[in-house]
Amino acid sequence: MTSSTLATRLLDVIEEDIIPLTARGVSLGNKVFGAAILRKSDLSLVLAETNNELENPLWHGEVHTLKRFYELGDKPDTRDLIFLSTHEPCTMCMSAITWAGFDNFYYFFSHEDSRDAFAIPHDLKILKEVFGLEPGGYRRQNAFWNSFAIADLAETEEPASREALKERIAAIKTRYNALSDTYQASKTDNKIPLN
């Protein structure tokens, strides 16, 4: 599998599987975070989900995806899977991914994007206040997993592929900006503790 194949497939899943779920969730008052689980062997989708903090403030996109994954009857071993997150996971979600046994996760938006572009600064505040870490202060490669930014995968491509991936990335960012605007306009009406 080439990084182009992986990057392309991850963007496909975000566009076709996660964004529609997130759009519905945001229309109800949930945040813009979503996730998916794919098989390493053929990049087929196992499950996609989105944030469901209105039901439970712990149901961040990643944790809600893991909850739904463990509700599946016959599920693959997590060592055979890829974990995809639309936004760089917060410390709770990173821990959940770790406890579930995934050896990887890929993300689209960074913690800084969550703070700056989406006005959701909690990930970085928790990193600083609880763990004493600056933005990016956690180890992206460690004994449990390796994490990767999808934009970094795009940068490793040949110029023609890289430009096509960058165009898709820009289009996805535009879609998320619109979802964020909808969430921000309605968030005072929801009961999410850290909105």
Side-chain angles (χ1 to χ4, degrees):
M1 164 178 43
T2 67
S3 60
S4 178
T5 302
L6 179 58
T8 299
R9 179 63 179 139
L10 296 177
L11 295 177
D12 289 346
V13 171
I14 290 170
E15 287 180 308
E16 298 165 15
D17 300 294
I18 299 173
I19 288 177
L21 295 169
T22 299
R24 273 184 248 126
V26 166
S27 74
L28 299 171
N30 285 296
K31 291 186 183 119
V32 297
F33 308 121
I37 298 171
L38 296 84
R39 287 178 180 80
K40 288 179 182 177
S41 61
D42 62 3
L43 301 182
S44 61
L45 181 67
V46 175
L47 176 73
E49 260 305 334
T50 195
N51 183 287
N52 194 12
E53 286 183 76
L54 289 174
E55 181 181 317
N56 180 330
L58 301 180
W59 294 159
H60 290 196
E62 300 89 340
V63 174
H64 193 241
T65 300
L66 289 168
K67 171 194 177 292
R68 295 290 310 273
F69 175 72
Y70 280 97
E71 292 171 350
L72 295 175
D74 186 26
K75 58 193 157 299
D77 188 306
T78 55
R79 292 172 293 194
D80 298 327
L81 301 172
I82 292 171
F83 197 94
L84 169 61
S85 182
T86 58
H87 294 70
E88 189 171 11
C90 72
T91 51
M92 176 182 73
C93 294
M94 277 189 239
S95 295
I97 291 165
T98 305
W99 281 105
F102 285 86
D103 63 7
N104 70 83
F105 65 83
Y106 292 80
Y107 60 91
F108 188 82
F109 291 105
S110 70
H111 285 157
E112 292 83 0
D113 292 328
S114 294
R115 177 193 63 203
D116 301 340
F118 298 103
I120 303 174
H122 314 302
D123 299 344
L124 292 177
K125 283 184 177 178
I126 291 169
L127 273 172
K128 179 71 173 171
E129 293 298 320
V130 177
F131 299 100
L133 297 174
E134 295 299 327
Y138 74 94
R139 293 193 324 215
R140 286 175 170 78
Q141 280 71 45
N142 57 64
F144 296 103
W145 39 255
N146 293 311
S147 67
F148 308 93
I150 295 171
D152 292 343
L153 292 179
E155 288 299 325
T156 66
E157 291 303 312
E158 295 298 320
S161 296
R162 182 171 50 238
E163 290 310 310
L165 288 170
K166 284 182 175 184
E167 287 176 18
R168 286 189 72 192
I169 287 168
I172 291 170
K173 286 182 178 183
T174 299
R175 291 178 75 183
Y176 271 96
N177 287 338
L179 289 170
S180 178
D181 290 345
T182 300
Y183 170 74
Q184 292 297 327
S186 68
K187 73 179 186 179
T188 55
D189 298 333
N190 69 33
K191 303 257 192 256
I192 299 173
L194 295 177
N195 62 11

